[in-house]
């Protein structure tokens, strides 16, 4: 630190944030026809400040808010968003995190949206953008931590072979 622009006395004080706000980020919903998404900012603790401002470095979405869930956006699918939660009266007391949605979920992302497939038919698909749903039922479920897409087939009593060979 230096002070040398004039002769005289001054006071130098430094304040430090030892307990910044605590928050997590979650998918706040997709608007896939427009290729955009929203982010839920879940503020669990304010730390050393009485209220916070929520921004992405370009837009300040909320000012002077308390703990709770606050939705920001929209953002373009694939965009990496830097989220800043800073003290309203003390912007030096802050925390940051990043969030993105790389792709909109496919239409058959959930078991309830399963696509019909029939004998002799071949469908192309992708798990890009698919979510982990934890759907654990007799008819639906993926390995824990694996995204899935769903198809529905009604047999006729004869043997059937379903194959992903060559995929």
């Amino acid at each position: 630190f230096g002070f040398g622009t004039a002769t005289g006395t001054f006071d130098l004080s430094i304040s430090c944030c030892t307990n910044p706000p605590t928050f997590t980020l979650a998918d706040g919903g997709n608007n896939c026809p427009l290729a955009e998404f929203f982010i839920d900012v879940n503020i669990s603790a304010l730390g050393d400040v009485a209220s916070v401002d929520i921004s992405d470095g370009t837009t300040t979405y909320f000012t002077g808010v308390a703990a709770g869930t606050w939705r920001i956006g929209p953002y373009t699918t694939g965009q990496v968003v830097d989220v800043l939660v800073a003290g309203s009266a003390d912007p030096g007391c802050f925390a940051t995190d990043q969030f993105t949605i790389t792709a909109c979920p496919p239409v058959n992302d959930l078991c309830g949206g399963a696509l019909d497939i029939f004998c002799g038919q071949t469908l192309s698909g992708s798990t890009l953008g698919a979510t982990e749903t934890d759907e654990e039922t007799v008819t639906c479920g993926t390995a824990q931590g694996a995204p899935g897409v769903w198809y529905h087939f009604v047999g006729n009593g004869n043997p059937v072979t379903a194959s992903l060979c060559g995929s």
Side-chain angles (χ1 to χ4, degrees), residues 13-42:
S13 63
I14 299 174
S15 62
C16 298
C17 177
T18 58
N19 187 20
T22 304
F23 70 97
T24 58
L25 302 175
D27 181 355
N30 299 309
N31 185 356
C32 289
L34 297 178
E36 62 186 22
F37 67 96
F38 295 84
I39 302 170
D40 282 348
V41 181
N42 304 307

Side-chain angles (χ1 to χ4, degrees), residues 2-91:
F3 183 79
T5 60
T7 303
T9 62
F10 61 91
D11 294 320
L12 174 63
S13 63
I14 299 174
S15 62
C16 298
C17 177
T18 58
N19 187 20
T22 304
F23 70 97
T24 58
L25 302 175
D27 181 355
N30 299 309
N31 185 356
C32 289
L34 297 178
E36 62 186 22
F37 67 96
F38 295 84
I39 302 170
D40 282 348
V41 181
N42 304 307
I43 301 170
S44 56
L46 294 175
D48 289 341
V49 298
S51 64
V52 295
D53 300 342
I54 304 170
S55 76
D56 61 12
T58 302
T59 303
T60 299
Y61 287 95
F62 298 99
T63 58
V65 298
T69 301
W70 306 89
R71 180 162 291 166
I72 62 173
Y75 298 100
T76 304
T77 299
Q79 178 181 355
V80 177
V81 180
D82 293 311
V83 178
L84 171 69
V85 175
S88 298
D90 183 3

Side-chain angles (χ1 to χ4, degrees), residues 79-159:
Q79 178 181 355
V80 177
V81 180
D82 293 311
V83 178
L84 171 69
V85 175
S88 298
D90 183 3
C93 193
F94 67 91
T96 62
D97 201 357
Q98 287 187 329
F99 192 84
T100 191
I101 296 290
T102 56
C104 284
V107 295
N108 58 336
D109 182 44
L110 301 176
C111 187
L115 298 177
D116 289 329
I117 187 167
F118 303 96
C119 283
Q121 187 178 17
T122 299
L123 294 177
S124 295
S126 172
T127 57
L128 182 65
T131 58
E132 301 170 27
T133 62
D134 294 331
E135 290 185 289
E136 299 292 338
T137 67
V138 173
T139 57
C140 290
T142 63
Q144 188 118 23
V149 291
W150 307 104
Y151 297 89
H152 176 257
F153 174 78
V154 176
N156 59 11
N158 293 323

